Amino acid sequence: MGNDTHNATTHIIGYKALTAVWIALLALTALTVWVALNAPGIGHVWGSLAIAAAKGGLVIAFFMHMRYEGRLLRWLLFVALVTLAIFIGLTFSDVLYR
């Protein structure tokens, strides 16, 4: 072991915040079901995708502690998600124009 010291900081989220996030996730899940049953046409797909993105953002921010990370790690996550979106978009456009 080396003499290097690393100040590890822990981010303890209180039960109140975790319960609020959990309730928000439950409400968004119920909203997803409602949109899937009541939205006309292709609206249910776009609505469900938007709600899923919001739920994913909550999970990443609170349960994966991304909210407390530095700028570099946040930007790396953003770049990775944009790259994934580009690849998915290119795949869909390839399938669409076959």
Side-chain angles (χ1 to χ4, degrees):
M1 303 262 173
N3 292 335
D4 296 331
T5 59
H6 180 63
N7 294 332
T9 58
T10 58
H11 304 288
I12 299 174
I13 302 173
Y15 289 122
K16 197 182 238 185
L18 290 176
T19 304
V21 171
W22 179 64
I23 290 171
L25 289 171
L26 287 175
L28 287 171
T29 300
L31 184 62
T32 303
V33 172
W34 183 84
V35 166
L37 295 175
N38 294 321
I42 193 101
H44 69 281
V45 173
W46 290 108
S48 296
L49 284 174
I51 295 167
K55 287 175 19 180
L58 282 173
V59 169
I60 288 172
F62 288 97
F63 295 126
M64 295 176 69
H65 299 270
M66 190 58 68
R67 182 176 186 193
Y68 306 105
E69 294 297 333
R71 260 190 209 159
L72 178 64
L73 196 55
R74 287 183 190 181
W75 274 104
L76 288 174
L77 175 67
F78 178 73
V79 168
L81 291 175
V82 167
T83 304
L84 177 66
I86 289 170
F87 284 137
I88 289 173
L90 289 173
T91 301
F92 283 151
S93 69
D94 179 51
V95 170
L96 181 65
Y97 292 112
R98 282 190 178 196

